[in-house]
Amino acid sequence: MSYFDAASAAPLHPVGRQALLAALDEGWADPARLYREGRRARLLLDAAREAVAETVECRPDELVFTPSGTRAVHAGIEGALAGRRRVGRHLIVSAVEHSSVLHAAEVHEARGGSVTEVRVDRTGAVAPDAFAGALRPDTALACLQSANHEVGTVQPVAGVAGACRAAGVPLLVDAAQSLGWGPVAGDWSLLTASAHKWGGPSGVGLLVVRKGTRFAPQGPLDERESGRAAGFENIPAVVAAAASLRAVRAEAAAEAARLRELTERIRVRVPALVPEVEVTGDPQRRLPGIVTFSCLYVDGETVLHELDAAGFSVSSGSSCTSSTLTPSHVLRAMGVLSEGNVRVSLPPGTPAEDVERFLTVLPGVVERVREKLGAPVTAGGVRDAGRDHEVSGAPVVDVPAVDAAAVDALAVDALVVDALGRRCPVPVIELARVIGDVPVGGTVRVLADDEAARLDIPAWCEMRGQEYVGEEPADRGSAHVVRRVS
């Protein structure tokens, strides 16, 4: 089995495993106690804190360990907002932040605060100028991830941090995906991360609050971790997290170069092997091990099951693979295709042979899924095969092989496709089938009530060179209007 989902959780590093087993014997006591076992536990905790602080490039007394990366994010946002309540209650986030940041922003807004969401471009990156333009006199805190967890795009943290510092606004950086590869550049004020992203054990997060940053911990006060993370420290896990972070950093330069070559191989060869694919994320400013692509006319959940059966563990941002039945907020913010989305995130040590086998298996998987869905696709892409289907407001058109003039004679200026109650990619497939039935300049209205259609129909138009006119209200769902350009 080839595990290609390190962005969700990286396998435990061998050094981390050894440290965990050793610390289970040595670090089980209460580090707040003065007897021998407590002193030994305290030494282990302090050593782990110093090791991580050195790697993060902060002071040990600026760093605390939390029960998870999510808890670190929530504690960091809540404490920073509370510490600057006299300045105002305005919070800035990017549109592609991790859900833990966006959920904290929702809670803040529900409590009467205001939130500005900074847009990203099609690569998933924010513009420093746009972020700076969102700053206001009442801005209490800004949040920006160091790199995106779904498409791998690295954010311009240094530029944004400079703008925030000039405005006197603290910047919280979610460094969960990038910290194993290197320190976060820029004059940031707060930083969060999660050990299971770099090959440490789950259940360990870290929160860094730079000296001079106004911070008021929320909730009942606790004497542990400077009052910023309540509860008994999981010292064996903390020790393993520190050991694994140092180990992966020592290997980072060589492993990053190797993984970049493997992911670039995927970025280049997947579009050549599989018709109608959109590769997402910035092609240069990206993490070493993450590559994401979306395939037209494909059900993402089925693709994941097929790849799992073939021995590959990958993830997806498609709505059909989530409990919310809505596309990934990251793909939605980028305006790219969501259905048939596949995220490959390679853990350190991934053999090149596994990537080659993936590239061999993937085309057949996508082809089989498209065949099951009846997608109008051949080896060369979309064919003009929409001649034996029924569309709302028009009779059944059944046309054998005829010349172009005959087809144009049968064409109508506008068609309506009823895809209500059907989930993507079916509305997109139905659109592809009928687009050739209208003349150039004619329109197709696709009636759909699937949230993914709002993203995937415009993305289809972008990929196929057609014009997305816009969305119109309908009795049920929405009418997505497409004009045939070619």
Side-chain angles (χ1 to χ4, degrees):
M1 193 75 180
S2 299
Y3 181 75
F4 286 178
D5 195 21
S8 293
L12 185 62
H13 194 282
V15 171
R17 181 183 298 276
Q18 293 173 2
L20 178 64
L21 294 175
L24 286 172
D25 292 331
E26 298 293 330
W28 49 268
D30 187 345
R33 299 295 175 246
L34 298 179
Y35 42 70
R36 181 185 306 169
E37 294 84 356
R39 295 197 304 271
R40 186 183 299 128
R42 170 55 63 182
L43 287 173
L44 288 174
L45 180 60
D46 289 346
R49 195 185 315 278
E50 290 175 4
V52 174
E54 180 182 1
T55 307
V56 174
E57 298 184 355
C58 69
R59 293 171 38 159
D61 59 350
E62 294 175 330
L63 184 150
V64 299
F65 295 106
T66 66
S68 69
T70 294
R71 187 61 209 136
V73 166
H74 292 171
I77 292 176
E78 291 169 356
L81 288 172
R84 286 173 49 84
R85 64 170 64 91
R86 292 183 179 179
V87 173
R89 303 192 65 193
H90 179 230
L91 171 66
I92 301 175
V93 299
S94 85
V96 294
E97 293 300 308
H98 188 268
S99 58
S100 60
V101 174
L102 299 183
H103 290 161
E106 290 172 0
V107 170
H108 175 64
E109 196 166 27
R111 292 173 176 171
S114 61
V115 177
T116 296
E117 195 172 272
V118 179
R119 295 183 178 182
V120 297
D121 60 21
R122 284 185 68 86
T123 71
V126 302
D129 290 346
F131 216 96
L135 294 167
R136 305 187 327 208
D138 65 336
T139 302
L141 177 67
C143 300
L144 179 65
Q145 59 190 190
S146 56
N148 188 258
H149 50 293
E150 291 195 27
V151 299
T153 297
V154 173
Q155 299 289 359
V157 172
V160 171
C164 290
R165 179 66 64 179
V169 175
L171 176 68
L172 183 149
V173 178
D174 171 16
Q177 290 297 335
S178 73
L179 195 59
W181 298 110
V184 177
D187 196 7
W188 46 266
S189 300
L190 302 99
L191 181 141
T192 63
S194 186
H196 73 278
K197 302 291 189 180
W198 67 64
S202 59
V204 178
L206 60 90
L207 168 63
V208 178
V209 182
R210 294 282 199 193
K211 292 295 181 182
T213 302
R214 291 187 177 276
F215 192 89
Q218 298 302 286
L221 293 180
D222 193 294
E223 68 275 9
R224 310 225 177 227
E225 294 300 297
S226 304
R228 295 175 181 171
F232 195 98
E233 298 95 341
N234 186 346
I235 294 176
V238 165
V239 169
S244 59
L245 181 57
R246 295 190 69 171
V248 298
R249 278 290 192 87
E251 305 159 354
E255 193 60 20
R258 197 180 71 84
L259 291 185
R260 283 189 190 281
E261 191 280 325
L262 293 179
T263 52
E264 184 63 21
R265 194 181 303 183
I266 297 172
R267 286 182 63 85
V268 172
R269 289 178 57 186
V270 165
L273 294 169
V274 182
E276 308 299 338
V277 165
E278 181 177 21
V279 181
T280 61
D282 193 293
Q284 278 84 41
R285 288 181 52 84
R286 59 185 303 101
L287 290 174
I290 298 180
V291 57
T292 305
F293 55 88
S294 298
C295 308
L296 272 176
Y297 318 126
V298 164
D299 170 11
E301 185 174 15
T302 304
V303 169
L304 263 59
H305 287 317
E306 292 275 349
L307 287 173
D308 181 54
F312 297 97
S313 302
V314 300
S315 65
S316 172
S318 296
S319 60
C320 54
T321 64
S322 69
S323 59
T324 62
L325 300 182
T326 59
S328 150
H329 71 276
V330 173
L331 301 178
R332 187 169 63 245
M334 293 167 62
V336 298
L337 185 70
S338 75
E339 288 305 323
N341 177 260
V342 175
R343 180 185 69 180
V344 174
S345 50
L346 306 177
T350 298
E353 295 78 11
D354 286 4
V355 172
E356 284 299 319
R357 190 168 69 88
F358 175 78
L359 291 169
T360 301
V361 168
L362 179 69
V365 166
V366 174
E367 184 177 3
R368 288 194 298 274
V369 175
R370 285 173 170 168
E371 287 178 354
K372 290 177 183 178
L373 291 170
V377 176
T378 66
V382 176
R383 65 173 180 259
D384 209 4
R387 307 298 177 194
D388 55 353
H389 50 269
E390 185 173 339
V391 292
S392 176
V396 175
V397 182
D398 188 0
V399 183
V402 292
D403 60 23
V407 172
D408 285 342
L410 287 170
V412 293
D413 290 335
L415 293 175
V416 176
V417 173
D418 187 350
L420 292 169
R422 308 185 74 181
R423 292 170 57 192
C424 279
V426 173
V428 179
I429 291 173
E430 295 300 318
L431 168 61
R433 284 174 172 167
V434 305
I435 193 69
D437 291 347
V438 298
V440 172
T443 61
V444 176
R445 279 174 167 77
V446 182
L447 302 178
D449 51 9
D450 181 19
E451 183 67 25
R454 286 195 169 91
L455 183 60
D456 290 346
I457 291 177
W460 179 88
C461 293
E462 179 81 16
M463 295 175 69
R464 300 298 304 156
Q466 307 298 345
E467 179 187 355
Y468 182 66
V469 177
E471 181 180 341
E472 297 177 351
D475 292 339
R476 282 181 56 205
S478 300
H480 299 272
V481 184
V482 176
R483 179 174 287 112
R484 182 182 175 187
V485 175
S486 60

